[in-house]
Amino acid sequence: MKGLILKELYILKGYGKQYLLIFAFLFIWSISTSSFSFIIIYVVLVGSQIVMSTMAADEAVSFCRYALTMPVDRKMLIKSKYALFLTAISGGILISVILNLLFYATSFGSEDYFQWESLVATASVFVIGNAISLPVMFKAGVEKARYVTIFTMLLLAGVIVAGIKLGDGVGLQVNELEKYGGGIISLCFIAVAALAIVISYFVAVRITKNKEW
């Protein structure tokens, strides 16, 4: 397992400069426009997509087929990807929290920082979306999994927007819900995201049981 994780980190090292350049550009752009919401979402997005980037590199050289000739089984391969996903998205969330605090503390960003409930909801949507697409990635490949991720994200966003519209229609304002139950809503998002990842792992193991890598 340690060797698989190190392999993932070596792959990410090759992408590091690209991510840093994009981040630097977005950081400068955010400061110049005094709008920081996008960069906060971007770091979480990058964290959620790192595992697919490494899987694409694996597919290019048929790494999984090679790895299974060593003392490595499919469960270990899958587990290493989930460990990478949780580590990467946790890192993205941590960076976004630090950026949010930094922008909130500055005079030019104090009016445009991300509400904490919104940040939790955004991160949870990324986690749930990837929880659905990761088993597809192991079964059908990265390309199809990316389409599933996009479709799932759009669907979840549509459900949230529809829920907000429906709440407005019956007199339940989102601001009021956040005021009196924001912490509970955030905990619900976190619980659903955690459950989705656990279910996703077992589904990935099950559907790849008879797959020929």
Side-chain angles (χ1 to χ4, degrees):
M1 180 66 128
K2 181 180 178 181
L4 291 174
I5 296 296
L6 286 174
K7 184 269 298 180
E8 307 286 0
L9 295 177
Y10 286 134
I11 292 175
L12 290 178
K13 186 178 179 181
Y15 292 105
K17 291 182 180 180
Q18 298 176 30
Y19 289 140
L20 287 175
L21 286 173
I22 295 173
F23 178 81
F25 169 77
L26 290 175
F27 188 80
I28 295 172
W29 178 76
S30 296
I31 292 177
S32 64
T33 60
S34 297
S35 179
F36 307 102
S37 299
F38 184 77
I39 192 172
I40 290 173
I41 295 175
Y42 171 77
V43 291
V44 182
L45 173 63
V46 169
S48 70
Q49 292 299 298
I50 277 177
V51 68
M52 288 197 182
S53 297
T54 63
M55 189 64 175
D58 288 349
E59 288 181 354
V61 295
S62 300
F63 174 79
C64 292
R65 184 179 301 175
Y66 167 71
L68 291 175
T69 64
M70 300 184 289
V72 174
D73 59 19
R74 59 187 177 82
K75 285 187 179 180
M76 194 177 295
L77 285 172
I78 294 172
K79 192 179 294 184
S80 68
K81 292 297 184 183
Y82 275 87
L84 175 64
F85 172 74
L86 292 175
T87 302
I89 197 165
S90 296
I93 292 171
L94 177 61
I95 293 173
S96 69
V97 168
I98 294 173
L99 287 174
N100 208 31
L101 290 171
L102 177 64
F103 295 143
Y104 178 71
T106 59
S107 59
F108 54 83
S110 59
E111 299 297 327
D112 194 53
Y113 76 100
F114 228 61
Q115 295 291 334
W116 296 114
E117 292 83 0
S118 299
L119 183 56
V120 170
T122 301
S124 297
V125 167
F126 283 126
V127 172
I128 295 169
N130 280 273
I132 294 172
S133 62
L134 284 175
V136 178
M137 180 185 76
F138 289 109
K139 183 66 176 179
V142 172
E143 194 64 30
K144 291 182 179 178
R146 290 193 192 278
Y147 287 115
V148 172
T149 302
I150 294 171
F151 174 78
T152 304
M153 296 291 189
L154 292 174
L155 180 61
L156 290 173
V159 169
I160 293 173
V161 171
I164 293 173
K165 294 291 184 182
L166 183 61
D168 291 340
V170 297
L172 294 175
Q173 299 294 325
V174 175
N175 292 336
E176 291 298 319
L177 290 175
E178 291 180 351
K179 181 179 179 181
Y180 296 106
I184 296 175
I185 294 173
S186 296
L187 287 175
C188 288
F189 271 113
I190 294 171
V192 171
L195 180 61
I197 282 294
V198 172
I199 294 174
S200 175
Y201 169 74
F202 287 108
V203 170
V205 171
R206 184 176 181 83
I207 66 175
T208 57
K209 184 178 182 179
N210 298 317
K211 178 180 178 180
E212 293 186 4
W213 297 89

